[in-house]
Amino acid sequence: MGLALFARGRRLCAALAFEHEYAWLVVCSLLLVELLGGLLILHRVRYTEIDWKAYMQEVQGVLDGDYDYEHLRGGTGPLVYPAGFVWLFSALHAAHG
Protein backbone atom coordinates (compact mmCIF):
# COMPACT_ATOMS: atom_id res chain seq x y z
CA MET A 1 0.00 0.00 0.00
CA GLY A 2 2.75 2.46 0.96
CA LEU A 3 4.74 1.90 -2.23
CA ALA A 4 1.65 2.31 -4.43
CA LEU A 5 0.77 5.55 -2.62
CA PHE A 6 4.32 6.82 -3.16
CA ALA A 7 4.18 5.98 -6.89
CA ARG A 8 0.82 7.71 -7.21
CA GLY A 9 2.15 10.82 -5.45
CA ARG A 10 5.16 10.81 -7.71
CA ARG A 11 2.98 10.65 -10.84
CA LEU A 12 0.84 13.51 -9.49
CA CYS A 13 3.91 15.67 -8.84
CA ALA A 14 5.25 14.95 -12.33
CA ALA A 15 1.88 15.86 -13.87
CA LEU A 16 1.72 19.12 -11.90
CA ALA A 17 5.26 20.01 -12.89
CA PHE A 18 5.22 19.09 -16.57
CA GLU A 19 1.69 18.95 -17.97
CA HIS A 20 0.26 22.24 -19.21
CA GLU A 21 -3.34 21.55 -18.27
CA TYR A 22 -2.34 21.75 -14.60
CA ALA A 23 -0.47 25.06 -14.94
CA TRP A 24 -3.49 27.09 -13.78
CA LEU A 25 -3.73 24.97 -10.64
CA VAL A 26 -0.04 25.43 -9.87
CA VAL A 27 -0.19 29.19 -10.51
CA CYS A 28 -3.32 29.66 -8.39
CA SER A 29 -1.84 27.57 -5.58
CA LEU A 30 1.39 29.59 -5.60
CA LEU A 31 -0.53 32.87 -5.60
CA LEU A 32 -2.64 31.69 -2.68
CA VAL A 33 0.42 30.61 -0.70
CA GLU A 34 2.10 33.95 -1.49
CA LEU A 35 -1.00 35.88 -0.41
CA LEU A 36 -1.38 33.95 2.84
CA GLY A 37 2.35 34.23 3.58
CA GLY A 38 2.28 37.98 2.98
CA LEU A 39 -0.77 38.42 5.21
CA LEU A 40 0.89 36.35 7.93
CA ILE A 41 4.04 38.47 7.74
CA LEU A 42 2.03 41.70 7.84
CA HIS A 43 0.13 40.43 10.86
CA ARG A 44 3.15 39.09 12.79
CA VAL A 45 6.08 41.40 11.94
CA ARG A 46 6.18 44.87 13.40
CA TYR A 47 6.63 47.71 10.93
CA THR A 48 9.81 49.75 11.23
CA GLU A 49 10.13 53.09 9.55
CA ILE A 50 13.91 52.87 9.27
CA ASP A 51 13.89 51.45 5.75
CA TRP A 52 11.27 53.89 4.47
CA LYS A 53 13.32 56.88 5.64
CA ALA A 54 16.49 55.46 4.11
CA TYR A 55 14.73 54.74 0.80
CA MET A 56 13.37 58.27 0.65
CA GLN A 57 16.83 59.69 1.37
CA GLU A 58 18.32 57.62 -1.45
CA VAL A 59 15.54 58.60 -3.85
CA GLN A 60 15.92 62.27 -2.94
CA GLY A 61 19.45 62.19 -4.30
CA VAL A 62 18.16 61.04 -7.68
CA LEU A 63 15.35 63.60 -7.62
CA ASP A 64 17.97 66.27 -6.94
CA GLY A 65 19.73 65.22 -10.16
CA ASP A 66 22.54 62.99 -8.87
CA TYR A 67 22.64 59.69 -10.81
CA ASP A 68 26.02 58.49 -9.52
CA TYR A 69 25.49 55.45 -7.30
CA GLU A 70 28.58 56.31 -5.29
CA HIS A 71 26.88 59.49 -4.04
CA LEU A 72 23.43 58.03 -3.33
CA ARG A 73 23.16 57.16 0.34
CA GLY A 74 20.55 56.83 3.02
CA GLY A 75 20.51 56.32 6.77
CA THR A 76 21.30 52.63 6.36
CA GLY A 77 24.18 53.04 3.91
CA PRO A 78 24.69 53.34 0.17
CA LEU A 79 22.01 52.67 -2.44
CA VAL A 80 22.39 49.07 -3.59
CA TYR A 81 19.11 48.62 -5.47
CA PRO A 82 18.70 48.85 -9.26
CA ALA A 83 17.24 51.84 -11.06
CA GLY A 84 13.74 50.29 -11.19
CA PHE A 85 13.65 50.48 -7.39
CA VAL A 86 14.59 54.15 -7.54
CA TRP A 87 11.86 54.98 -10.05
CA LEU A 88 9.23 53.01 -8.14
CA PHE A 89 10.12 54.72 -4.87
CA SER A 90 10.31 58.07 -6.64
CA ALA A 91 6.65 57.62 -7.52
CA LEU A 92 5.89 56.72 -3.90
CA HIS A 93 7.88 59.76 -2.76
CA ALA A 94 5.80 61.97 -5.05
CA ALA A 95 2.57 60.41 -3.80
CA HIS A 96 3.43 60.66 -0.09
CA GLY A 97 5.77 63.62 0.07
Side-chain angles (χ1 to χ4, degrees):
M1 180 70 180
L3 195 55
L5 187 61
F6 175 76
R8 195 170 172 190
R10 189 170 149 214
R11 280 193 305 275
L12 176 63
C13 288
L16 290 172
F18 299 112
E19 294 185 24
H20 295 224
E21 61 264 17
Y22 296 112
W24 65 271
L25 180 62
V26 173
V27 169
C28 290
S29 298
L30 290 173
L31 286 173
L32 181 62
V33 168
E34 182 76 20
L35 175 68
L36 293 175
L39 290 173
L40 181 66
I41 289 170
L42 287 173
H43 181 70
R44 297 278 183 184
V45 177
R46 289 180 43 100
Y47 170 75
T48 62
E49 199 173 309
I50 295 169
D51 288 337
W52 177 261
K53 288 180 182 178
Y55 296 161
M56 291 303 108
Q57 291 166 347
E58 294 163 355
V59 164
Q60 190 61 51
V62 172
L63 295 176
D64 290 343
D66 189 356
Y67 296 104
D68 186 346
Y69 266 67
E70 293 200 18
H71 300 150
L72 300 173
R73 302 186 64 80
T76 58
L79 174 62
V80 295
Y81 297 106
F85 162 90
V86 174
W87 295 117
L88 173 67
F89 276 83
S90 294
L92 293 174
H93 183 276
H96 294 283

